[in-house]
Amino acid sequence: MDINSLLSPQDTPTGSPSPRSSPAATRRNKSQTSIPTLGASPLSQQLSSNSISNSRHFAPPRMPSPPTNNLLQNNGQPSSTGSPASGSPRSNRQASTTGMDTLADLASMQHHQGLGRGNSGGMRGMENQEKQTPLKAVRPSLQAIARTHSGSRSNLDIHMADIPAQAPTPRAFRSSSLPDTDLEQVEQLTAYLAENPNAYESHVQLFKILHRGLLSHTYSTPASPSERDPRSYDLLGDLQQAIEAMSSRFTMGEEIWAQRIEDQQLLARSVEDCLAIIELCEKAVTDEVGSTKLWNIYGEWMLSLYSSVNPTDQAVGQMSEALNPWIRWSEEDQLVAAEVFGKLQLLEVWKRGSEDVRFNLNDSHTIWNKYTDLLQQDLDLSPTQEAVSALKSHFTDRLQTPQATWDETFQRFSSFISTYDNASYEDVMVTVTSSAAPAKSQYAAREDFELKLSRSVEAGDKSSTWTIFNEYLDWEMSHKRKKKMFSFDLTNALYQRAVLQFPTDTNLWEDYLAFLSDEDQQQQQQRRPISSLSLLGRACAHCPWSGTLWSHYIQTAERDNLPFPDISQIKHKATSTGLLDSSSMEDVLKIHTAMCSFLRRRAFARDAAEEDPDVDPDVAEMGIRSAIEDMEALGKQKYGKEYQGDPQYRLERIYIKFLDQNQMFDQARDRWKKLISRRGNSYEFWLRFYWWEMITWGKLTGNQPDSAGSIPREATKVLQQAARRTQLDWPEKILDTYLHHSEDHEEAAEIQVATAHWRKAMKSVTRRREKEAAEAAEYAAQQLQQNDATADQSQIGQVNGSKRKREENEDVEPGIGVKKSRTSGTDAEEAEHAQGTNQSALKRDRENTTVIVRNLPSDTNEKSVRNFFKECGTINSLKLSPENDGNSITAAIEFESREDILVAQTKDLKVFRGNTIDVQIGTGTTLYVTNFPPSSDESYIRDLFGKYGEIAEVRFPSLKYNTHRRFCYVQFKSPEDARQACELDEKPVDGGLQLLAKMSDPGHKDKRHGAMYEGREVYASNVDWIASEEEVKDIFSKYGKVEKVRIPKNLSGKSKGMTFVVFSSKEEAQAALDLNNTKFKSRILSVSLSTANPAKRQATTILNPRTSASTSPPPHEPASTADSPTSTTSGPTLNQNKPTRDEITSRTLALLHVPDTINDARIRTLMEPHGPLNKIVLRPDHAGAIVEYADVNDAGKAALAVDGYEILPGRELGVGSVKEMFAQKAEMKGGVEDEKKNGKGGGGGGKIQPAAPIRRPGLPTTGGRKGGLGKKTGRPGLGAAGGGGGAGKTNADFKALFVKSSGTEE
């Protein structure tokens, strides 16, 4: 191997051309480095060459695409009104890794060297060949087309290009086949893709719009057939570019494949075009294994081709559809087609489709029935005994397969037996019925799941479909394999159906792979062999951004003993396209870890030189070091100088292991030492380093025993250096290890030194723990006083001068950790619903100012609806939702007044863009819903109420001014559905809650009830910490009958210094106010009537008490000093310890751009899977949330995982510092009011996510300083608006202070 080829391009010596010398060179060498199975067939190459030479209107292809892409280029004549396709050059994107990708390039060139020489000419060589070869000579039979099966796909056949194609260039698009709104959206999508070329959903939307335009041009234009020719479509070139840009990055999925094939069928003209479509169908059914839809398309196309060349076969002709009217075959083409599109080829396609979808319980019969029809037609023409036996066996196998249409198949089999074997009818039917019993029972057990799944798919409810699939799969996996109910084939088919519906769900692919892996371990024999490597290829093609899937792919390729060039090519595919750029660092790191581990293992494998001569220690070291450098560069690029590397230093550990295996111990030790600057405060790092030194010492002394090597000096040095660290997270563990090591291995002098250091350090640690405990207690007391002071300050301006210091959510539900309201959930939410004033009700009355507009065209956008109804009055809000049939849209329009909706009703039965619309007043269509689980989102509400009718909108309230609001409005499309949905009122839901669902009526107010609202509850603060409820009851009982006393407790179970006392009457509570400013035990009480808590603009949820930096278990004390007074050590952390500011900052992150309808429970649901949480502070007034983890590593993982997470459609979260979050402003709703303020009209119909708001740094705040008389010192509280101090104290405050001090002196 030439070592120069391992260098980066810029380091390649002169005279040695780099594999990546230029973009042009890259494209010229594509035939050498690309996957052989992606190459076009001779027919397709000829078609592509002719298309390129004959068409000047469209740009030539920029990459070797599948041959059917070239059909889009064969226009033949320029369009008079079309927009010329863009031909902007594509930049040669540098690979995301340098040295590692150079290895991959080298491997690819060596692996495909023979192929490169034979095909070096590429497309040009094919053109020259065509000039000398007759047309018929290059036409193969249909059998020459590559046949693939679900388990036989090439392991490296991933449809991703090293240099992906570009989407159409943004410009002003013009076409008579698309409405202006679609053209505007095309402009927006192309502009967005120019900035974000890897946005999958945008690629899908762009292709669908252009595809819709092609269908509209072909079928909807009232013109002659020549004018409706699909090849005269204005945007045909853009359609070609769009599909090329998408297919070069992603595998397209079942739906896009179907639409793409439909386009090619419209554009087909010659036999070569038809063959190219067959090749496209082959790729589709290979990519989307088990797709009944694609196999139907494939089979129907073969039926049409066969019928076109065999018009005398009327039986088959009745089953097929005619080809497009623009196909005009010459006599020579007819002869060739008759040879290629024969009956055997037709039967072969339907047979393969029937086998591939055999275990699809829901729709496999659609393929099997067509295939059986063809077989029976042949049998009717030639009823031989052999054919009868074959068809009988065909029926028997089908009846022994679980299916939804078993009865129909049985009836058909009955007719067949009656015709061809009537003498044995009873015996045959009894035998078949008996043998089919297991299949029928298997389907019967799954029938409920199948029915639910069918309904949700037909309704187009993706959320419900996903939920049902997961429940179905969990049910399948719950059966033991030895039981009759379990079926590998059915479970495997169910996974195939699931990934067809959700091809970009990485968790689904990972579960599928785990299922196959488990089956391999079970060594099941009676099943179809399914290659994990093939499945991983499909998974990575559908989810190329998943580092987990790519790492599994590399590991599986290594397990299956693939050669180094093939494994390098997998890694190269993962990192060279740029699709991982938008992923987290963790995904990229997983790929590098898998590849570096492979390089290390393969380099030192037994007989590695014979098994894989491409991998030697030099190559492996080059790859590992390059990966480390690349990750460091990527980290600094993303996070700047603050990047501290992988917390688990995985690549460095692999490199150390490599150096260790290569007996380069000094170099390995140097790598350990370089890690100290970043990992030196971790006890775990030092223990790893120590044990490595011990193992190395054992190796050296085992090979060269001598007196000098009998003591592990290097290991002792490691522990000495670790013991001197002052910021260790668990110093006790290191000190104990140091002492034990010295006692076991060192000489007496060193043992004395270690013991002295241990005693001195442990005393220091003990003082540190005691200090932390005291600081934690002081910190808790300060927090409580600050909360009380903030509550006191918020009383200013109230009429009665008193404030209810009640914790709105006091008790923690067992196992949940979420605060629960003191009153019942229903009462609290009803009070929330009724607390608005009459004035606010007059300002906005959605329930009585909304109209429901039905039967709008499916391509309607918001702008056009606003324009149509703008003369009716001011529109406050507008919501569009598609109907279940997918052919129309319903709009819910809220006007400013009731008079406006009366005017809007005059639009009833008017024509809107060709559709007669239905306009009805929306009164009585909205439910007020509350007391649902705190973590519920729109999908949960829709699933709960969807069974009662179509839902137009689900509205959650803004939490900007009150974070405790938990209700929503569910608006149905008809009053009848809304009234029926009221059945859920008072029904139990998750979490033991009782749902409240009533017809919404803003004018109705429920009277508030309870001790607080009746004036029977008294609130007392400054209560002595040790006072019990009985003692409190005693001092209040002299004023009346005390029904209840409650003293709120903190997380440690101690009193919060406040109490609530409930009397039997209002008068008794009023009399108890005499206790105000009186002494109780050691403190002066402050007593007032309880009042409702005002709206809170932030929500703080404390999940665990704060800990210090480590959560390690307590160490074991040395036995020799266990009884020593100085050896009393606590655990590594104390739950009451106050952490340092730096520790809190390191494990705290701020979520940015949080919608103001998201509550703290949903934030917890999102963040808690990444690690234990200490605290969540929701700040909708700053469009964010503060999340504190218990461990800094968990905080780092969460930051990488959550950054860019789409919490609502089109709303992605950001991760930043707390300072950045406070610099944000509250979310501004984009309604008509904001449009008036900004001077803008209604929003357009585009679906592009708007750009994130620009975040400017906020003004600097002053730190705490010495305050004046009557002013607070230190920093303002969280609720303070500015940096100044609090309001001045009044005379009453000074009097209270004087009384308090006097009482204390007494």
Side-chain angles (χ1 to χ4, degrees):
M1 174 177 293
D2 183 8
I3 195 65
N4 289 330
S5 62
L6 299 178
L7 302 176
S8 301
Q10 61 269 23
D11 299 329
T12 304
T14 306
S16 301
S18 169
R20 298 176 180 271
S21 56
S22 68
T26 302
R27 288 190 289 270
R28 285 196 299 270
N29 293 333
K30 183 65 179 176
S31 60
Q32 295 178 344
T33 59
S34 62
I35 304 168
T37 55
L38 288 179
S41 68
L43 286 174
S44 301
Q45 290 179 339
Q46 179 191 16
L47 176 62
S48 176
S49 302
N50 292 337
S51 302
I52 295 172
S53 60
N54 294 337
S55 175
R56 297 182 180 180
H57 179 63
F58 301 108
R62 303 182 185 275
M63 61 168 285
S65 303
T68 49
N69 283 347
N70 300 322
L71 295 181
L72 293 168
Q73 296 176 320
N74 195 14
N75 192 4
Q77 43 183 291
S79 172
S80 58
T81 60
S83 304
S86 170
S88 61
R90 184 184 312 110
S91 62
N92 184 19
R93 182 191 180 278
Q94 291 294 330
S96 59
T97 57
T98 53
M100 291 289 283
D101 285 347
T102 306
L103 291 176
D105 288 337
L106 177 65
S108 298
M109 287 189 293
Q110 290 178 342
H111 186 59
H112 302 298
Q113 188 173 8
L115 177 65
R117 293 194 186 100
N119 239 354
S120 59
M123 299 289 284
R124 295 181 182 178
M126 198 65 224
E127 290 177 358
N128 296 333
Q129 179 182 352
E130 289 167 5
K131 294 179 180 179
Q132 302 174 4
T133 306
L135 178 64
K136 192 170 182 178
V138 299
R139 286 178 177 149
S141 65
L142 189 58
Q143 287 89 341
I145 298 176
R147 294 286 188 265
T148 56
H149 192 265
S150 61
S152 63
R153 175 180 176 167
S154 173
N155 294 326
L156 303 178
D157 187 9
I158 303 177
H159 299 313
M160 295 180 349
D162 291 345
I163 306 176
Q166 300 300 311
T169 303
R171 63 181 189 279
F173 290 83
R174 299 289 181 268
S175 175
S176 58
S177 303
L178 285 172
D180 292 341
T181 52
D182 281 351
L183 293 173
E184 290 176 6
Q185 192 167 0
V186 170
E187 292 179 17
Q188 294 172 353
L189 287 167
T190 52
Y192 185 76
L193 287 172
E195 298 293 331
N196 305 275
N198 296 326
Y200 175 79
E201 291 297 335
S202 296
H203 279 287
V204 172
Q205 292 180 36
L206 178 61
F207 170 75
K208 286 185 175 181
I209 293 175
L210 296 175
H211 165 75
R212 190 163 61 242
L214 177 63
L215 298 184
S216 175
H217 170 83
T218 305
Y219 296 115
S220 302
T221 305
S224 62
S226 60
E227 292 175 339
R228 290 188 290 108
D229 187 343
R231 298 200 176 195
S232 64
Y233 174 41
D234 311 62
L235 303 179
L236 188 60
D238 298 299
L239 176 59
Q240 186 271 337
Q241 278 188 284
I243 196 61
E244 184 176 321
M246 183 178 181
S247 61
S248 63
R249 289 175 173 83
F250 315 100
T251 295
M252 293 175 293
E254 182 184 53
E255 182 182 4
I256 302 300
W257 267 119
Q259 295 177 357
R260 183 181 179 188
I261 294 172
E262 183 181 13
D263 292 345
Q264 307 308 316
Q265 290 174 342
L266 289 174
L267 295 166
R269 295 295 180 272
S270 63
V271 174
E272 288 83 0
D273 294 347
C274 297
L275 282 171
I277 293 172
I278 293 176
E279 293 184 8
L280 195 66
C281 291
E282 285 288 339
K283 291 181 181 296
V285 298
T286 303
D287 284 346
E288 311 303 326
V289 175
S291 171
T292 306
K293 181 177 184 178
L294 293 176
W295 276 111
N296 262 316
I297 292 173
Y298 191 3
E300 293 294 342
W301 177 245
M302 293 299 298
L303 279 172
S304 298
L305 292 174
Y306 174 81
S307 298
S308 65
V309 296
N310 296 278
T312 57
D313 193 340
Q314 297 181 359
V316 175
Q318 294 176 357
M319 299 171 57
S320 64
E321 296 181 0
L323 299 175
N324 73 64
W326 296 279
I327 292 182
R328 298 289 187 270
W329 287 348
S330 63
E331 293 183 1
E332 183 182 9
D333 287 340
Q334 289 281 356
L335 293 175
V336 173
E339 296 176 4
V340 176
F341 310 133
K343 191 64 171 290
L344 292 178
Q345 290 81 1
L346 173 64
L347 289 172
E348 178 190 359
V349 170
W350 284 102
K351 178 182 179 182
R352 290 169 50 218
S354 178
E355 292 173 350
D356 195 38
V357 303
R358 175 182 177 183
F359 294 98
N360 290 3
L361 297 180
N362 59 328
D363 56 8
S364 60
H365 61 278
T366 60
I367 303 293
W368 188 87
N369 288 343
K370 281 286 183 71
Y371 178 43
T372 306
D373 289 340
L374 293 171
L375 293 177
Q376 283 195 296
Q377 289 174 12
D378 284 353
L379 180 63
D380 293 341
L381 294 175
S382 179
T384 63
Q385 186 59 40
E386 182 180 1
V388 170
S389 298
L391 192 55
K392 179 180 178 181
S393 177
H394 172 73
F395 271 106
T396 304
D397 290 342
R398 179 61 181 171
L399 289 170
Q400 293 176 359
T401 302
Q403 55 181 295
T405 57
W406 192 92
D407 291 337
E408 291 81 351
T409 305
F410 185 77
Q411 290 296 329
R412 188 168 182 174
F413 179 58
S414 174
S415 301
F416 168 77
I417 295 297
S418 298
T419 303
Y420 292 101
D421 193 11
N422 192 44
S424 306
Y425 177 84
E426 292 185 1
D427 294 338
V428 170
M429 300 306 289
V430 170
T431 302
V432 169
T433 302
S434 176
S435 62
K440 294 181 68 176
S441 63
Q442 284 182 330
Y443 177 77
R446 295 164 173 82
E447 187 172 13
D448 288 342
F449 284 112
E450 291 293 336
L451 291 175
K452 286 191 225 177
L453 205 52
S454 176
R455 290 174 188 147
S456 64
V457 171
E458 290 175 2
D461 189 344
K462 283 285 187 181
S463 176
S464 176
T465 303
W466 186 88
T467 301
I468 296 170
F469 263 123
N470 277 274
E471 293 175 353
Y472 198 171
L473 287 168
D474 289 343
W475 181 86
E476 287 282 7
M477 298 299 293
S478 66
H479 298 295
K480 294 183 179 179
R481 285 164 172 77
K482 295 182 179 180
K483 300 294 182 180
K484 294 182 179 180
M485 193 56 62
F486 174 78
S487 167
F488 168 83
D489 294 306
L490 293 180
T491 308
N492 179 70
L494 184 60
Y495 269 115
Q496 289 181 350
R497 291 162 60 189
V499 296
L500 283 173
Q501 285 286 332
F502 304 97
T504 58
D505 189 331
T506 56
N507 290 326
L508 202 53
W509 285 105
E510 291 174 21
D511 290 344
Y512 191 3
L513 290 165
F515 164 69
L516 290 183
S517 176
D518 191 33
E519 279 300 306
D520 291 340
Q521 294 178 3
Q522 296 292 332
Q523 298 181 352
Q524 298 292 321
Q525 299 296 330
Q526 298 179 354
R527 63 175 177 85
R528 293 187 299 174
I530 295 180
S531 169
S532 297
L533 203 60
S534 175
L535 180 63
L536 276 162
R538 291 169 47 216
C540 292
H542 284 89
C543 306
W545 49 81
S546 172
T548 302
L549 292 175
W550 282 111
S551 62
H552 283 320
Y553 199 2
I554 294 171
Q555 292 163 0
T556 305
E558 180 186 3
R559 182 200 67 185
D560 291 355
N561 295 319
L562 263 66
F564 170 68
D566 286 351
I567 298 179
S568 297
Q569 189 178 20
I570 295 173
K571 189 265 170 189
H572 183 67
K573 283 290 183 184
T575 57
S576 63
T577 59
L579 292 170
L580 280 172
D581 291 351
S582 58
S583 299
S584 65
M585 288 279 293
E586 183 69 16
D587 285 300
V588 183
L589 185 59
K590 285 179 179 178
I591 297 173
H592 283 299
T593 302
M595 188 64 189
C596 290
S597 297
F598 156 72
L599 289 173
R600 180 190 63 77
R601 286 189 291 266
R602 186 64 64 91
F604 295 104
R606 183 178 301 176
D607 300 329
E610 298 179 3
E611 294 180 3
D612 204 336
D614 293 325
V615 182
D616 56 29
D618 290 337
V619 174
E621 183 175 12
M622 175 70 72
I624 297 171
R625 292 181 61 180
S626 297
I628 295 174
E629 294 169 1
D630 292 335
M631 287 304 301
E632 184 72 17
L634 180 61
K636 290 181 177 178
Q637 177 185 348
K638 280 196 171 188
Y639 302 105
K641 296 180 180 180
E642 298 179 356
Y643 177 67
Q644 293 297 312
D646 174 22
Q648 302 175 28
Y649 47 98
R650 281 164 280 188
L651 295 180
E652 289 84 355
R653 283 159 45 196
I654 293 172
Y655 189 28
I656 291 171
K657 178 68 174 177
F658 168 83
L659 295 173
D660 189 41
Q661 288 182 279
N662 213 19
Q663 297 186 359
M664 302 169 69
F665 302 117
D666 291 337
Q667 291 89 330
R669 184 175 293 112
D670 290 339
R671 299 302 299 189
W672 278 113
K673 291 179 179 178
K674 288 181 180 180
L675 289 170
I676 293 176
S677 60
R678 291 183 173 180
R679 307 288 162 235
N681 291 334
S682 169
Y683 83 94
E684 184 182 10
F685 164 78
W686 288 107
L687 290 182
R688 285 181 183 272
F689 192 2
Y690 164 69
W691 282 115
W692 179 85
E693 288 288 5
M694 291 297 295
I695 294 172
T696 303
W697 169 72
K699 292 178 181 178
L700 294 176
T701 56
N703 297 331
Q704 299 177 0
D706 55 65
S707 58
S710 61
I711 299 177
R713 299 292 186 188
E714 294 295 336
T716 304
K717 291 178 182 179
V718 170
L719 292 176
Q720 288 174 342
Q721 187 176 2
R724 289 194 295 267
R725 304 286 294 195
T726 59
Q727 299 297 324
L728 273 176
D729 51 3
W730 193 4
E732 297 94 331
K733 181 66 175 178
I734 295 297
L735 292 171
D736 286 348
T737 304
Y738 177 32
L739 183 60
H740 295 159
H741 167 82
S742 300
E743 293 172 345
D744 292 341
H745 300 285
E746 285 291 346
E747 297 175 346
E750 182 59 35
I751 294 175
Q752 290 179 343
V753 172
T755 302
H757 181 80
W758 181 89
R759 293 178 65 85
K760 180 180 178 181
M762 290 303 290
K763 288 181 180 180
S764 177
V765 171
T766 301
R767 289 193 298 268
R768 170 181 160 187
R769 299 301 188 196
E770 291 173 351
K771 181 181 178 181
E772 289 173 351
E775 289 177 350
E778 181 183 359
Y779 177 78
Q782 289 176 354
Q783 287 291 315
L784 182 60
Q785 292 176 4
Q786 183 180 357
N787 292 338
D788 290 345
T790 303
D792 289 337
Q793 186 179 359
S794 66
Q795 288 189 116
I796 298 174
Q798 291 187 4
V799 177
N800 59 359
S802 62
K803 164 88 169 63
R804 173 182 174 86
K805 314 275 191 320
R806 175 186 302 278
E807 291 286 307
E808 178 136 357
N809 303 307
E810 71 184 43
D811 297 326
V812 179
E813 295 182 18
I816 302 297
V818 179
K819 296 180 180 179
K820 183 178 179 182
S821 176
R822 176 175 175 270
T823 57
S824 68
T826 303
D827 294 341
E829 297 301 340
E830 285 179 339
E832 178 69 34
H833 179 52
Q835 71 180 4
T837 63
N838 290 332
Q839 182 179 1
S840 63
L842 292 175
K843 286 183 178 179
R844 195 158 190 180
D845 184 7
R846 284 191 179 96
E847 287 66 35
N848 297 310
T849 58
T850 301
V851 295
I852 305 297
V853 184
R854 296 175 179 272
N855 200 34
L856 293 168
S858 58
D859 57 349
T860 301
N861 64 355
E862 182 178 334
K863 182 178 179 180
S864 59
V865 177
R866 285 184 179 274
N867 290 336
F868 188 78
F869 286 91
K870 64 182 180 181
E871 61 188 18
C872 301
T874 303
I875 297 177
N876 282 345
S877 67
L878 189 152
K879 176 80 172 184
L880 300 178
S881 58
E883 294 285 356
N884 291 338
D885 57 7
N887 299 323
S888 62
I889 287 178
T890 295
I893 308 174
E894 178 198 352
F895 287 90
E896 194 171 53
S897 67
R898 299 189 181 187
E899 290 75 18
D900 294 342
I901 66 171
L902 297 178
V903 178
Q905 201 174 13
T906 61
K907 298 285 188 178
D908 188 32
L909 300 180
K910 299 290 185 182
V911 176
F912 177 85
R913 295 174 60 183
N915 283 20
T916 302
I917 61 175
D918 176 34
V919 181
Q920 299 295 332
I921 296 177
T923 302
T925 60
T926 303
L927 295 185
Y928 167 76
V929 181
T930 185
N931 218 36
F932 42 78
S935 60
S936 302
D937 57 7
E938 182 173 345
S939 298
Y940 178 90
I941 298 298
R942 285 186 177 272
D943 291 342
L944 194 62
F945 288 89
K947 59 186 177 182
Y948 296 102
E950 295 180 70
I951 298 174
E953 185 182 9
V954 177
R955 299 191 306 272
F956 284 87
S958 171
L959 307 181
K960 251 190 307 191
Y961 303 106
N962 191 342
T963 56
H964 291 161
R965 306 172 84 185
R966 177 157 55 91
F967 61 88
C968 70
Y969 296 96
V970 181
Q971 185 172 21
F972 288 85
K973 294 181 179 180
S974 71
E976 293 77 15
D977 295 340
R979 286 192 292 270
Q980 188 177 2
C982 289
E983 295 176 1
L984 288 177
D985 187 34
E986 299 184 356
K987 298 294 184 182
V989 290
D990 298 341
L993 300 174
Q994 192 174 32
L995 189 72
L996 186 145
K998 299 182 181 297
M999 298 299 297
S1000 180
D1001 184 4
H1004 173 70
K1005 289 187 178 181
D1006 293 329
K1007 293 182 179 180
R1008 303 178 183 181
H1009 52 86
M1012 180 189 67
Y1013 298 107
E1014 296 167 5
R1016 297 186 294 108
E1017 188 176 75
V1018 170
Y1019 164 73
S1021 62
N1022 206 32
V1023 179
D1024 194 285
W1025 305 102
I1026 62 173
S1028 66
E1029 291 183 356
E1030 288 298 325
E1031 292 173 330
V1032 172
K1033 184 176 181 180
D1034 289 340
I1035 67 168
F1036 280 91
S1037 295
K1038 59 184 178 181
Y1039 297 100
K1041 181 181 179 182
V1042 175
E1043 293 183 348
K1044 181 180 179 182
V1045 174
R1046 185 175 61 85
I1047 300 178
K1049 306 295 179 62
N1050 58 22
L1051 290 173
S1052 60
K1054 296 182 180 179
S1055 167
K1056 289 186 176 182
M1058 63 182 72
T1059 184
F1060 298 93
V1061 182
V1062 178
F1063 288 88
S1064 60
S1065 69
K1066 178 179 179 181
E1067 292 74 16
E1068 293 171 348
Q1070 190 70 36
L1073 298 181
D1074 290 343
L1075 287 174
N1076 187 36
N1077 289 332
T1078 61
K1079 186 177 180 181
F1080 172 56
K1081 287 188 176 292
S1082 62
R1083 309 188 73 176
I1084 303 300
L1085 293 177
S1086 176
V1087 183
S1088 63
L1089 291 177
S1090 295
T1091 57
N1093 213 7
K1096 300 182 72 174
R1097 298 197 179 192
Q1098 71 179 55
T1100 301
T1101 304
I1102 298 177
L1103 303 172
N1104 291 306
R1106 271 181 174 161
T1107 63
S1108 58
S1110 172
T1111 55
S1112 308
H1116 297 288
E1117 298 176 352
S1120 60
T1121 58
D1123 298 329
S1124 173
T1126 61
S1127 66
T1128 57
T1129 62
S1130 61
T1133 62
L1134 295 173
N1135 287 341
Q1136 301 301 322
N1137 288 349
K1138 175 193 172 183
T1140 65
R1141 182 183 299 276
D1142 290 339
E1143 289 172 345
I1144 296 175
T1145 302
S1146 65
R1147 63 194 187 207
T1148 300
L1149 55 90
L1151 300 182
L1152 310 178
H1153 318 309
V1154 177
D1156 63 3
T1157 59
I1158 301 298
N1159 61 11
D1160 52 347
R1162 291 190 58 188
I1163 295 294
R1164 180 186 180 186
T1165 302
L1166 173 65
M1167 305 302 291
E1168 200 166 36
H1170 304 292
L1173 301 174
N1174 280 350
K1175 183 175 70 173
I1176 297 174
V1177 181
L1178 180 67
R1179 292 305 298 263
D1181 54 339
H1182 288 284
I1186 304 170
V1187 182
E1188 180 187 339
Y1189 279 85
D1191 187 83
V1192 64
N1193 293 328
D1194 295 336
K1197 290 187 294 184
L1200 296 175
V1202 176
D1203 193 14
Y1205 176 81
E1206 192 176 52
I1207 194 167
L1208 290 179
R1211 302 294 301 275
E1212 292 185 351
L1213 295 179
V1215 177
S1217 65
V1218 176
K1219 182 178 179 181
E1220 288 177 320
M1221 188 210 72
F1222 280 112
Q1224 293 185 139
K1225 294 183 179 180
E1227 179 182 357
M1228 298 298 294
K1229 298 296 185 181
V1232 64
E1233 296 86 359
D1234 294 330
E1235 292 167 0
K1236 288 180 180 179
K1237 294 176 183 178
N1238 300 328
K1240 297 179 181 179
K1247 298 181 180 178
I1248 298 299
Q1249 178 183 349
I1254 299 174
R1255 301 195 300 272
R1256 297 180 175 87
L1259 294 175
T1261 58
T1262 58
R1265 60 181 179 180
K1266 192 171 183 180
L1269 184 63
K1271 301 288 185 179
K1272 290 187 179 180
T1273 60
R1275 296 182 301 164
L1278 289 177
K1289 292 185 179 294
T1290 64
N1291 291 332
D1293 295 324
F1294 285 113
K1295 181 179 178 181
L1297 290 172
F1298 177 79
V1299 173
K1300 178 179 178 181
S1301 61
S1302 300
T1304 305
E1305 291 175 358
E1306 293 177 2

